[in-house]
C-alpha cells in the first residue's frame, strides 16, 4: 500500500523566546525522512573509495569490522547524525554496490573542495568531485530517482528509492571548506589565500541556492575545523619560532585562516536566510567542538591530542595508515594503535570514531549552532 495525499506541513513558523543555555521547549520535532550530504572526507561514507581505491585495513576496524569507505576506524559525524535521527547510514551516490537511497544519499567525496582546483587526485588527493559537481550529482539523483519512482508498477520496484515528496522535507547537510584552505596553503601565500575566501564562500552559497531551487528547504551547515591542529601538520614542526604555535600546540596561521573562512561562511549563511525565504539554515560551529576536544583531551578521556593512531610519521617520512614501506632496510607496517577509543586522530588528518562521537554529541543538541536548536528541530524557522 502506498500512501497518497499525505498532509505535509514543512514550515512550521513558531515564535519562541530563546534564553541562552535553556532548552527550546516550544519547538516541535521535525519529520526528517532523509539526509542529503555534501562534503569532503570528514563526511565521505564511501564515495571516493568507490570511485578510485577502497580504503585499506585497518580503517573501519572499530565499528564495521572491515574497511567501509570511511577515513576512520569507525563512524563519522554524519553517521552519528543519521543514527540520532533514526535513519540508516548514508550510501554514497558514487557507489554501485549494496546501496540504499530510500532515506538519502551522500555526495561527499574525500579531498573535495568548494572551488574547482587545478591539482589532481593522484598528486594531492584533491577530489575531481568538488561541491558544484556534487550538486550536479544531487540534481541528477533527484531527477532520475523521481522518474523511476513514478514509473514503478509495484511497490517493490520502489525499494531503495527515495519518495519524491521527501526532497523538500530532507535535511541537507554540508561539511566542506577544509580542503580549499589546505590547497590554498600549498599553492598561495597567506595573503593571497585570504583574498580568495570571499569567492570560496560565494561558491558555497551558489551550491545552497542550487539545491533550494530544486526544492531543498532545511540546511545544516558545518563550519570547518581547526586545520592547524591536525597532527599531520604539527608532527613535522621542530623548534618553531615563537608564536608559530598557539598555546595548545596548533599552527596559528592555519587556524586563523579557518577562523576567517568560518566568519565569512557564517555571514553568508545569515545573508542566505534573507535571500531564500522558505529555507531554514543552521550554522554549526564544529570548529569549537573540535578545538574544545583537542584543548581538553585529557579531561575528556583522551591521550595526547597530537598522537596519530594509525600511520608512521618520523624524520619527514610519512607512511599512511594501512601502508607498508621499507625504511632504512626495515619493513614498516603503518597499523593502528592499541586503543583507538582513547586517541583523537585516526590517521593524522581524520578523527577516530571515539572523537567523532564526542564531536557529534556536542553539536547535535544545538548548543554550538546558530540558531541554537537541536538537529531534530532544524526544520523550524525561528523568528
Ligand atoms: C585553475 O587554473 C585556472 C587557469 O589557469 C585559473 O583561472 C583558476 O583560478 C585556477 N583555480 C584555482 C582554484 O586555483
Ligand atoms: C602490509 O603488511 C601487513 C603486515 O605485514 C600485511 O598484512 C598487509 O597486507 C600489507 N599491506 C599492503 C598494502 O601491502
Ligand atoms: C636511517 O639510519 C641512519 C643511521 O642510523 C639515521 O641517521 C637516519 O636518521 C635513519 N633514517 C630514518 C628515516 O630513520
Ligand atoms: C549539549 O551536549 C553537550 C555534550 O553532552 C553538553 O556538554 C551541553 O551542555 C549540551 N548543551 C545543551 C544546551 O543541552
Amino acid at each position: 500500500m502506498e500512501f497518497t495525499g499525505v498532509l505535509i506541513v514543512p514550515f512550521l513558523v513558531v515564535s519562541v523566546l530563546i534564553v541562552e543555555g535553556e532548552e527550546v521547549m516550544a519547538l516541535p520535532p521535525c519529520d526528517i525522512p532523509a539526509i542529503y550530504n555534501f562534503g569532503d572526507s570528514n563526511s565521505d561514507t564511501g564515495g571516493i573509495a568507490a570511485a578510485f581505491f577502497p580504503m585499506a585495513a585497518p580503517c573501519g576496524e572499530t565499528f564495521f569490522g572491515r574497511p567501509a569507505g570511511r577515513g576512520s576506524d569507525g563512524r563519522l559525524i554524519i553517521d552519528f547524525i543519521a543514527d540520532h535521527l533514526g535513519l540508516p547510514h548514508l550510501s554514497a551516490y558514487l557507489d554501485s554496490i549494496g546501496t540504499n537511497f530510500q532515506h538519502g544519499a551522500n555526495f561527499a567525496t574525500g579531498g573535495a573542495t568548494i572551488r574547482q582546483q587545478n591539482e589532481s587526485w593522484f598528486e594531492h588527493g584533491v577530489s575531481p568531485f568538488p561541491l558544484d559537481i556534487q550538486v550536479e550529482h544531487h540534481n541528477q539523483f533527484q531527477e532520475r530517482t523521481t522518474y523511476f519512482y513514478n514509473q514503478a508498477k509495484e511497490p517493490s520496484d520502489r525499494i531503495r528509492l527515495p519518495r519524491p515528496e521527501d526532497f523538500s522535507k530532507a535535511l541537507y547537510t554540508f561539511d566542506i571548506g577544509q580542503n580549499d584552505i589546505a590547497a590554498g596553503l600549498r599553492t598561495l601565500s597567506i595573503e593571497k589565500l585570504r583574498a580568495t575566501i570571499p569567492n570560496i564562500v560565494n561558491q558555497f552559497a551558489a551550491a545552497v541556492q542550487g539545491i533550494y531551487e530544486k526544492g531543498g528547504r532545511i540546511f545544516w551547515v558545518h563550519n570547518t575545523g581547526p586545520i592547524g591542529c591536525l597532527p599531520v601538520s604539527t608532527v613535522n614542526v621542530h623548534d618553531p619560532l615563537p608564536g608559530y604555535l598557539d598555546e595548545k600546540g596548533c599552527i596559528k596561521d592555519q587556524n586563523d585562516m579557518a577562523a576567517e573562512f568560518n566568519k565569512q561562511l557564517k555571514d553568508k549563511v545569515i545573508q542566505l536566510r534573507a535571500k531564500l525565504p522558505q529555507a531554514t539554515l543552521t550554522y554549526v560551529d564544529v570548529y569549537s567542538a573540535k578545538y574544545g576536544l583537542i584543548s581538553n583531551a585529557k579531561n575528556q578521556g583522551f591521550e595526547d591530542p597530537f598522537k596519530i593512531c594509525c600511520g608512521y610519521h618520523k624524520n619527514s617520512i610519512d607512511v599512511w595508515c594501512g601502508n607498508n614501506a621499507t625504511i632504512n632496510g626495515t619493513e614498516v607496517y603503518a597499523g593502528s594503535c592499541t586503543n583507538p577509543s582513547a586517541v583523537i586522530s585516526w590517521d593524522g588528518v581524520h578523527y577516530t570514531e571515539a572523537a567523532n562521537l564526542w564531536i557529534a554529541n556536542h553539536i547535535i543538541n544545538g548548543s554550538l549552532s546558530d540558531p541554537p536548536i537541536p538537529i531534530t528541530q532544524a526544520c523550524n524557522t525561528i523568528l
Side-chain angles (χ1 to χ4, degrees):
M1 270 292 279
E2 285 301 316
F3 288 102
T4 52
V6 174
L7 182 66
I8 302 170
V9 189
F11 304 106
L12 289 170
V13 179
V14 179
S15 290
V16 286
L17 186 68
I18 296 179
V19 183
E20 184 100 347
E22 281 194 15
E23 201 91 18
V24 187
M25 302 301 282
L27 295 172
C30 309
D31 166 27
I32 297 172
I35 302 171
Y36 292 100
N37 181 66
F38 302 79
D40 55 30
S41 57
N42 287 302
S43 62
D44 182 354
T45 55
I48 212 75
F52 291 101
F53 306 101
M55 296 290 159
C59 280
E61 63 174 8
T62 298
F63 182 77
F64 300 99
R66 62 186 175 87
R70 290 155 176 83
S72 180
D73 58 317
R75 285 165 287 180
L76 308 181
I77 295 169
I78 189 70
D79 293 313
F80 289 116
I81 287 177
D83 288 345
H84 188 73
L85 295 176
L87 298 173
H89 294 156
L90 297 182
S91 292
Y93 168 77
L94 290 171
D95 202 349
S96 48
I97 299 165
T99 48
N100 184 345
F101 298 115
Q102 210 174 356
H103 297 286
N106 194 350
F107 303 99
T109 56
T113 47
I114 294 170
R115 298 201 307 165
Q116 299 253 357
Q117 301 291 319
N118 296 319
E119 298 179 309
S120 76
W121 164 252
F122 289 94
E123 266 180 83
H124 291 289
V126 171
S127 171
F129 312 107
L131 186 56
D132 58 345
I133 301 295
Q134 293 180 23
V135 171
E136 196 53 42
H137 286 172
H138 164 267
N139 294 347
Q140 191 173 155
F141 176 91
Q142 184 168 351
E143 241 162 70
R144 292 171 61 209
T145 58
T146 299
Y147 173 82
F148 285 111
Y149 191 95
N150 290 332
Q151 289 290 307
K153 299 210 163 51
E154 304 292 332
S156 61
D157 296 340
R158 294 177 176 151
I159 278 177
R160 292 164 189 266
L161 294 177
R163 296 187 306 178
E165 66 265 33
D166 285 352
F167 285 101
S168 62
K169 298 197 286 174
L171 185 69
Y172 290 83
T173 54
F174 297 81
D175 193 320
I176 193 162
Q178 180 175 312
N179 292 312
D180 292 84
I181 295 171
L185 290 168
R186 265 198 306 278
T187 58
L188 300 173
S189 67
I190 288 282
E191 279 324 302
K192 285 210 166 114
L193 172 54
R194 192 184 302 278
T196 66
I197 292 177
N199 182 258
I200 297 172
V201 167
N202 280 335
Q203 294 200 27
F204 176 84
V208 170
Q209 188 153 0
I211 293 163
Y212 181 84
E213 281 158 14
K214 299 287 176 191
R217 291 295 180 261
I218 309 166
F219 298 92
W220 178 267
V221 179
H222 290 178
N223 71 4
T224 197
I227 188 172
C229 300
L230 296 180
V232 74
S233 314
T234 60
V235 72
N236 289 318
V237 175
H238 306 290
D239 308 319
L241 292 172
Y244 184 71
L245 300 178
D246 70 10
E247 71 277 12
K248 304 295 179 190
C250 302
I251 299 171
K252 196 168 177 311
D253 263 3
Q254 297 190 2
N255 278 355
D256 285 351
M257 201 56 69
E260 178 62 27
F261 170 82
N262 288 341
K263 179 180 168 293
Q264 294 191 31
L265 180 69
K266 186 174 183 182
D267 289 346
K268 191 57 71 177
V269 166
I270 291 166
Q271 285 171 26
L272 282 169
R273 288 188 189 133
K275 200 169 177 188
L276 312 176
Q278 296 185 63
T280 66
L281 293 118
T282 308
Y283 170 86
V284 187
D285 188 6
V286 172
Y287 182 106
S288 288
K290 289 180 172 175
Y291 196 77
L293 173 60
I294 290 162
S295 308
N296 295 299
K298 299 236 159 67
N299 291 335
Q300 301 298 325
F302 290 89
E303 299 174 24
D304 169 10
F306 298 102
K307 175 174 173 167
I308 296 174
C309 178
C310 183
Y312 172 98
H313 303 270
K314 268 187 204 137
N315 303 323
S316 298
I317 294 182
D318 298 304
V319 186
W320 293 96
C321 181
N323 287 301
N324 297 318
T326 305
I327 297 169
N328 261 359
T330 308
E331 184 76 11
V332 171
Y333 169 58
S336 86
C337 57
T338 47
N339 189 7
S341 68
V343 180
I344 292 174
S345 185
W346 168 241
D347 60 4
V349 177
H350 306 102
Y351 291 74
T352 57
E353 158 155 318
N356 285 328
L357 174 60
W358 191 97
I359 297 158
N361 280 338
H362 282 76
I363 60 172
I364 275 171
N365 67 9
S367 58
L368 294 173
S369 296
D370 177 311
I373 54 174
I375 197 165
T376 48
Q377 300 175 356
C379 64
N380 295 286
T381 302
I382 310 288
L383 295 181

